[in-house]
Amino acid sequence: MRHGGGMDSPAVGARPGPGKATVNVLLNVVIAAAGVWLGLVVVGSPVRLSAGGAVLVTVCLLVLESLQRPVLRVLAARGSVLLALVLGVAAQVAVIALVFNVVLGIRFDDWFKLLTVTAVAAAVIAVGRWLASASDAAYVIGHATQLRRVSASAGPRPRGLVVLQIDGLSVDVLERAVRSGEVPTLARWLSSGSHRLQPWWVQVPSTTPASQAALLYGDEHTIPSFRWWDRATSRLLVSNRPADATLIESRLPADRGLLREGGVAVSTAFSGGADETYLVFSTALKRRGLGSGDVVVPVFASPFLWPRTVLLTLGEMIKETFQARRQRRRRVRPRIERKLSFVALRGLTNVALRTLNLVVVVTWMSRGAPIIFVDFVDYDEIAHHAGPERPEAMRALEGIDAVLAELEKVAAQVHTDYDLVIWSDHGQSLGSTFDQLTGQSLTDRIRELMDEPLAAVESASGDDWGPLNTLIAATIGRTRAHPDSFVVGPDGADDPRVAADVPDLVVVGGGNLGMVWFPHLPQRPTLSQVQERWPGLVPGLALTPGVGLVMVGLGPGEALLVGPQGTRRVGGSHDGDVEGEDPSTQYDPRGLANLAHLTTLESCGDLVLLSTVDELGLIHAFEYQVGSHGGLGGPQNRAIFIHPTRLPMDDELARADGWVYGAGPLHRQVESWRRMQGTLSDDTSAAAPASMPQP
């Protein structure tokens, strides 16, 4: 295995032989030719096209696409992904019109017919390749090989790293998927000994932005939740909004960026100091915020790949509609209504975004980037709406595993040797929502207990809209005075940044982690201050069905966990003191150190809530998700880190129980690997950030 070292199984990552490559090319041509022929039949072409003629047309299309691609790359380099899209589609239509006119003598005055022929051909290709158990690997590997010939003259290069994030995958789900054969690539790597699974404990908040800040910057002290009230700026920060992500990243230690010195970031929350970024929330408002267009030209310039991607996106939307209806008919519990907006978002993330990510990664592997970090959100998005182990979520996991297989083939073709590292930022836990359990939202319950007419802001959904908001921000960000105020999704409606006054109350939900702020107070209040102002609030919340505990501050670095029958102190000199029944017993004891750490963060909520966790690990999300993460309970805190055996873990990182605690140690480990490979300078001037307390 080229990305695993000499001891790896020779079957893993082996270079495909010329015979197999030739068969793949011929298969592609035959399937595409059948599609062109059928497309001409559908539009009623007067030309009777023979099999040989269809093959000739297809070969001409592919040759012209190959010839025009370098020119399009030069032109697209002047803009972003959007320019590549416009140039690619225009070039496709022009090439199809030219080939049909010159080879077949057909002149289509109706452009709709040209598009129809292309769409029919793409549909036939999609079906044909599925029946032949083929994938897009041949296309992307061909693209990689072409670039490899260009870059081979650069001479020997140090090994590189590709870090692929499978968003939301827990150890529990991975083990099930390995046993059931749903992730054959990962199963083969682990069973062959080329890779090793290192489980790691995800601290609170168990969210993508917090985990990425820890892995990419070694920072575990800045982000208290997916969204939070920021007293420094008097506004709600939502980490997947581009303007907010830019502000948040400015607070992270820039000199510790894991991707500094030549790295590439793809579809992430933060850049990690990368030289090149694509679809990254924190850089979307910069010039070419979506990334340079020349990299993604292969997606849009192919007369078959992009139309096929569009059709598969539509197919994914139809599949989502069917699967949501099936859940309703079978009366699956727990479940949520899968709204029409998610139908479109699922198509975007599971097909279009996955294809773009793959091509960007392949291109930069071909160019020899020292480290590439990419986030595939497919599984996470579906698991939120369907459940972490429901059939549709597991099918998404199968799709990501297929991407790994394709990258494995690419690694065997490019000039630079790559080690593939797989990690997840958190897991997901199943359960009905707090609203479903109690019949009211957390905000309504708090208002009821405070017994005051309050102007409140509630923000407990909208995670799914990050990629779309990134696209919007990068498209219109430089033409609007305040691009950060234009966002779509549920969070956009109650945005306090566009309100005239600071609200009296802010309530946010992130999985089964809830946070409450009283923005008119200058700092986080203590328990006595909350009790004096709202005497029934904390005990009332603790007695609310679905609420497992309420954490409220006692002073700097100290807090009290309040449950229905008792309390426990965390932090300070009285850490661990219990009165009555300990409210933390329903949670994994490893999470207590996380809560003690959370209460020390500057932006921690004035009140912090965790929902109840039953013996099966089921939780109650304070947002509208049946599969969620953010707090404690169930598989959400048990994530994966899969690394090549040739890159061993430092002995001191894993505790006696075999787990790594927090992503901060993983940041230091990957930095160590980069220095060992010679792609990162040994900069001792930047002190490593302190790690969070360990259990």
Side-chain angles (χ1 to χ4, degrees), residues 238-258:
V238 182
S239 51
N240 70 350
R241 289 177 176 169
D244 291 351
T246 302
L247 174 62
I248 296 166
E249 185 164 44
S250 71
R251 300 175 177 178
L252 301 174
D255 56 350
R256 301 300 303 176
L258 185 66

Side-chain angles (χ1 to χ4, degrees), residues 653-674:
L653 291 186
R655 301 292 295 273
D657 60 2
W659 286 69
V660 171
Y661 286 87
L666 298 179
H667 167 87
R668 296 192 293 274
Q669 179 64 79
V670 179
E671 271 195 333
S672 174
W673 288 339
R674 286 197 65 191

Side-chain angles (χ1 to χ4, degrees), residues 101-117:
N101 182 264
V102 173
V103 178
L104 302 178
I106 299 175
R107 180 177 179 181
F108 285 141
D109 295 325
D110 187 351
W111 289 96
F112 178 75
K113 290 185 177 180
L114 288 175
L115 297 177
T116 301
V117 172

Side-chain angles (χ1 to χ4, degrees), residues 327-377:
Q327 270 200 352
R328 292 193 303 270
R329 289 183 60 128
R330 296 177 61 197
R331 299 182 180 180
V332 173
R333 294 287 189 275
R335 75 166 190 273
I336 60 172
E337 178 188 356
R338 288 148 71 167
K339 300 178 181 178
L340 184 61
S341 58
F342 176 65
V343 174
L345 286 169
R346 174 171 168 179
L348 174 69
T349 58
N350 275 45
V351 180
L353 185 59
R354 181 195 293 175
T355 302
L356 283 172
N357 285 350
L358 177 61
V359 171
V360 171
V361 171
V362 167
T363 299
W364 280 104
M365 289 175 69
S366 304
R367 295 179 178 180
I371 183 170
I372 305 166
F373 186 97
V374 59
D375 182 5
F376 283 90
V377 300

Side-chain angles (χ1 to χ4, degrees), residues 34 52 64 97 169 185 224 288 353 440 446 574 663:
L64 286 177
L169 178 61
T185 305
R288 296 197 308 187
L353 185 59
Q440 63 179 164
I446 291 173
H574 296 281

Side-chain angles (χ1 to χ4, degrees), residues 366-424:
S366 304
R367 295 179 178 180
I371 183 170
I372 305 166
F373 186 97
V374 59
D375 182 5
F376 283 90
V377 300
D378 319 24
Y379 167 79
D380 186 69
E381 296 288 9
I382 294 180
H384 277 314
H385 294 80
E389 297 186 60
R390 301 281 166 75
E392 47 267 58
M394 302 307 290
R395 297 295 83 74
L397 198 55
E398 283 184 342
I400 297 175
D401 187 80
V403 168
L404 297 180
E406 294 182 358
L407 290 178
E408 181 183 35
K409 295 174 184 176
V410 172
Q413 294 290 321
V414 297
H415 186 63
T416 302
D417 290 327
Y418 277 97
D419 294 302
L420 302 186
V421 176
I422 315 300
W423 96 305
S424 62

Side-chain angles (χ1 to χ4, degrees), residues 166 169-172 174 186 197-200 422-426 638-642 666:
I166 304 180
L169 178 61
S170 67
V171 172
D172 310 60
L174 173 66
L186 282 175
L197 170 63
Q198 171 62 65
W200 73 280
I422 315 300
W423 96 305
S424 62
D425 48 345
H426 53 76
R638 303 191 287 266
I640 67 167
F641 188 78
I642 298 174
L666 298 179

Side-chain angles (χ1 to χ4, degrees), residues 29 33 49-63 99 103-104:
V29 170
L49 189 64
S50 65
V55 171
L56 176 62
V57 169
T58 301
V59 171
C60 289
L61 289 173
L62 295 175
V63 168
V99 170
V103 178
L104 302 178

